[in-house]
Amino acid sequence: MRGPVRRAAVLPVGAGLAVAAALLLIGTVTDGSASAPTSAATPTPSAATPTPAAAARTVAVTSASGATVAAPQARPPAPALTGTDLDGNPISLAAFRGEVVVLNVWGSWCAPCRAEADDLALLSGEVRGAGVRFLGINTRDRDRDAARSFVRAHGLDFPSLHDPAGALLLRFPPEVLNPQTIPSTLVVDREGRVAVAIGGAVSAGRLKPLIDRVAAEG
């Protein structure tokens, strides 16, 4: 015996549009640009409070090929770095506040440092007009004369803190700067936060786009 035939409800065109509009209002119908409704019990994250995904994008030392610019809210503050340069004059990282600073850790005894030095000398001059300064940290060079000879040989015109025992390197968290990895390069933003961390030698072609991104933040 054949059961009863169910007939689909047929609504007038105008009624169908009204139903669709109602569904959109209560969040049942969405498209790619619509946002799910937010309940009163679940506050919307503000710009000052990073979401879990943003907070996960922390700065971690990586190779130049894999280096990225960390989200501003995930950047750790650079430690206070003070001391003397290769000529014995006082110098500090704080003196560069308001500018983007490229911190390069190097030693005259380090072959990869020699490999990258000419690129850094060229790049430091290219980006200066964008409010970017380079500051070296010369490490494990007991003899300043050896470090000064390195600077002259490669035409490095930016100053370097003399850190023969590596004490300044230990002020950084190890996930940001491994004191055993020489050379290393960090990019510090205008607010004194570490935006990029690179372990190993870097070329101008790899480093410049990262610097440009941080400098463009204003």
Side-chain angles (χ1 to χ4, degrees), residues 43-63:
T44 303
S46 66
T49 304
T51 63
R57 296 193 295 270
T58 55
V59 178
V61 63
T62 185
S63 64

Side-chain angles (χ1 to χ4, degrees), residues 2-19:
R2 180 179 302 177
V5 177
R6 295 183 179 180
R7 298 180 180 278
V10 179
L11 297 175
V13 173
L17 292 176
V19 171

Side-chain angles (χ1 to χ4, degrees), residues 27-188:
T28 304
V29 178
T30 60
D31 61 21
S33 61
S35 300
T38 302
S39 68
T42 306
T44 303
S46 66
T49 304
T51 63
R57 296 193 295 270
T58 55
V59 178
V61 63
T62 185
S63 64
S65 60
T68 58
V69 177
Q73 63 268 30
R75 299 172 185 173
L81 301 176
T82 59
T84 58
D85 64 16
L86 299 180
D87 294 319
N89 301 312
I91 190 171
S92 69
L93 176 60
F96 297 88
R97 180 61 67 91
E99 298 178 296
V100 175
V101 180
V102 179
L103 280 173
N104 179 250
V105 183
W106 63 276
S108 66
W109 46 268
C110 163
C113 299
R114 292 193 291 272
E116 70 174 8
D118 292 341
D119 270 20
L120 296 180
L122 179 65
L123 187 56
S124 65
E126 288 183 357
V127 298
R128 187 169 299 165
V132 180
R133 296 293 181 267
F134 276 57
L135 176 63
I137 303 178
N138 170 244
T139 190
R140 302 183 200 169
D141 270 321
R142 299 287 179 181
D143 185 357
R144 291 183 194 234
D145 287 339
R148 286 194 289 260
S149 295
F150 181 97
V151 166
R152 289 192 298 270
H154 295 282
L156 300 176
D157 62 355
F158 54 85
S160 287
L161 284 154
H162 187 227
D163 185 31
L168 296 179
L169 307 186
L170 296 177
R171 297 183 184 181
F172 291 88
E175 64 272 15
V176 172
L177 179 63
N178 184 342
Q180 302 302 317
T181 303
I182 312 296
S184 289
T185 301
L186 306 178
V187 181
V188 179

